[in-house]
Amino acid sequence: MEAVPLDAFLAEMARCRADAEAMLAAAADGAAVERARVEFLGARNGRLKGIQKGLGTVEPAARRDAGRHFNDLKDWLTVAIAAAQDRVAAAPATAEAAIDVTLPGTPVPLGHLHPITQTIRRVQEIMSRLGFESVDGPEVEDQWHNFDALAISPEHPARDPLDNFFLQVARGNDPLLLRSQTSTVQIRVMERRRPPLRIVSLGRVYRPDTADATHYPMFHQVEGLLVEPGTTMAHLKTTLRLLASSFLGAGVRVRFRPAFFPFTEPSVEVDMEWGGRWVEMGGAGMVDPAVLTAVGLDPDAVSGFAFGLGVERIAARRHGVADIRDFYRNDVRFLRQF
Ligand code: FA5
């Protein structure tokens, strides 16, 4: 066998030391230090054992020198591994090692849906049982869908700039606005689809109203629309009574008062009894022939009813909330109750 020069032997030992240094520095727990110990000092296949075997092949004149360096490496490895063992024993190195599995777990705080969202879902569910499909409409609207198609004439006070959130953005010459009512969705649906129609739409509407116990500048409405041949006021009243009793309990009293809306004829105001008082919840009526004409339907062939109720008000009535502003104060002590 050819003799190994001293330099090559020393280089191999330097590599072994560098590798051991790196492995020990990275060792984060007792198991990792033990893997390093087996790798370098292991009695059968440790790297030091391999180097020791090579000692006999070093050129004879340099063998004493090589043996001294070998002993230095062995001492260094022994001390470095002992030091690493002490280091990992002093601190719980991994999260796993720090976990006491006998301790009770940390409760994860669970949130829930906002009471208005809960109300929206519940109303959708009730209406779906009556065959009304849920649809959405845009919150930024043009004047055709918010006013004109609903027979709200250009002079009507509902179009007053002080009663609406008009936007700088326009479509043609027509400034857009944040919709002031969900009745816009009646038009959008009737423009796209032909009767028979049964839809319900719940969403945000905006009016520059001063906030008080029953008003907020952003609120939600539930809009219902049914268009089928032979529809009468009796269908409208029955549908609203069923919605009210399903959502608010069988005991709720509903009252219909003659009223006026440009897009229904006849029209009614819908009141519900609440703590001995009558509170206005919305408006309703038979879809006005002018509206059917505006969307290309024949008023002599079909008829329909529509209603729009304030979601905050029915939610407040259901939960006994005296002031709808509480829904939007973001006070978790209030919201947690629902
Ligand atoms: C309307 O908005 C009609 N679009 C309703 C309608 C639909 C009539 C279909 C006929 C056919 P009104 O402006 O009255 O109507 O509003 C309806 C309901 O929205 C009110 O009764 C009230 O419950 C609620 N509401 C109105 N303004 C506010 C507000 N600022 N904050 C909270 N709720 C409001």
Side-chain angles (χ1 to χ4, degrees):
M1 202 194 325
E2 220 191 307
V4 174
L6 180 63
D7 280 350
F9 189 72
L10 294 183
E12 191 191 344
M13 287 203 295
R15 270 197 305 279
C16 174
R17 177 169 168 156
D19 291 348
E21 255 163 3
M23 194 163 171
L24 289 170
D29 55 18
V33 175
E34 175 60 13
R35 277 196 298 279
R37 194 193 63 74
V38 171
E39 163 92 14
F40 293 98
L41 292 181
R44 304 185 77 222
N45 294 317
R47 280 177 59 176
L48 200 67
K49 262 271 158 331
I51 291 169
Q52 191 175 15
K53 279 183 198 143
L55 198 52
T57 64
V58 174
E59 47 191 350
R63 219 166 272 168
R64 268 178 78 94
D65 218 354
R68 212 163 27 80
H69 281 101
F70 173 81
N71 284 332
D72 288 349
L73 175 61
K74 185 176 177 178
D75 291 344
W76 179 84
L77 271 172
T78 311
V79 170
I81 286 172
Q85 276 162 346
D86 289 347
R87 174 172 59 78
V88 298
T94 63
E96 226 171 342
I99 288 173
D100 178 350
V101 295
T102 65
L103 284 174
T106 315
V108 179
L110 275 187
H112 60 69
L113 294 176
H114 189 276
I116 294 300
T117 308
Q118 291 181 32
T119 301
I120 289 172
R121 303 240 174 131
R122 178 83 184 112
V123 169
Q124 285 173 332
E125 185 188 313
I126 293 166
M127 294 305 294
S128 83
R129 280 195 260 122
L130 298 173
F132 288 75
E133 175 196 346
S134 266
V135 299
D136 271 332
E139 289 175 27
V140 173
E141 262 299 5
D142 52 37
Q143 299 198 40
W144 168 256
H145 292 96
N146 203 85
F147 300 123
D148 298 304
L150 289 162
I152 301 174
S153 63
E155 315 77 41
H156 196 280
R159 301 176 81 128
D160 192 319
L162 295 177
D163 287 332
N164 292 283
F165 288 109
F166 278 99
L167 306 176
Q168 295 286 327
V169 194
R171 191 168 291 158
N173 293 325
D174 178 17
L176 301 181
L177 76 161
L178 298 181
R179 67 179 178 188
S180 62
Q181 50 182 352
T182 46
S183 298
T184 53
V185 184
Q186 292 183 35
I187 303 303
R188 290 197 170 269
V189 168
M190 286 190 286
E191 281 174 338
R192 278 199 326 271
R193 291 159 54 172
R194 299 288 93 177
L197 288 171
R198 287 188 191 194
I199 61 98
V200 67
S201 188
L202 292 100
R204 291 187 196 92
V205 300
Y206 304 85
R207 293 179 193 177
D209 288 347
T210 305
D212 64 24
T214 51
H215 293 84
Y216 209 72
M218 184 284 307
F219 60 103
H220 296 72
Q221 288 187 335
V222 42
E223 190 83 13
L225 171 72
L226 179 147
V227 185
E228 284 171 23
T231 307
T232 70
M233 280 296 272
H235 298 118
L236 168 63
K237 291 169 75 175
T238 302
T239 303
L240 282 170
R241 284 189 199 284
L242 277 172
L243 172 58
S245 59
S246 304
F247 184 69
L248 298 170
V252 66
R253 293 169 68 208
V254 183
R255 177 176 86 172
F256 301 93
R257 256 182 312 123
F260 175 80
F261 293 100
F263 38 94
T264 45
E265 183 60 34
S267 302
V268 289
E269 211 89 68
V270 184
D271 301 339
M272 295 183 196
E273 187 271 329
W274 183 356
R277 284 194 311 132
W278 289 101
V279 177
E280 181 204 307
M281 293 293 182
M286 301 305 291
V287 179
D288 195 290
V291 174
L292 295 172
T293 307
V295 296
L297 291 173
D298 177 3
D300 292 326
V302 285
S303 52
F305 69 67
F307 64 85
L309 308 178
V311 172
E312 280 74 6
R313 292 198 191 169
I314 59 171
R317 165 72 171 74
R318 172 169 170 150
H319 297 293
V321 171
D323 189 330
I324 68 164
R325 286 171 292 191
D326 284 338
F327 288 124
Y328 300 118
R329 285 191 222 275
N330 274 347
D331 185 337
V332 287
R333 293 169 304 177
F334 171 79
L335 295 173
R336 214 178 265 142
Q337 305 173 89
F338 301 94

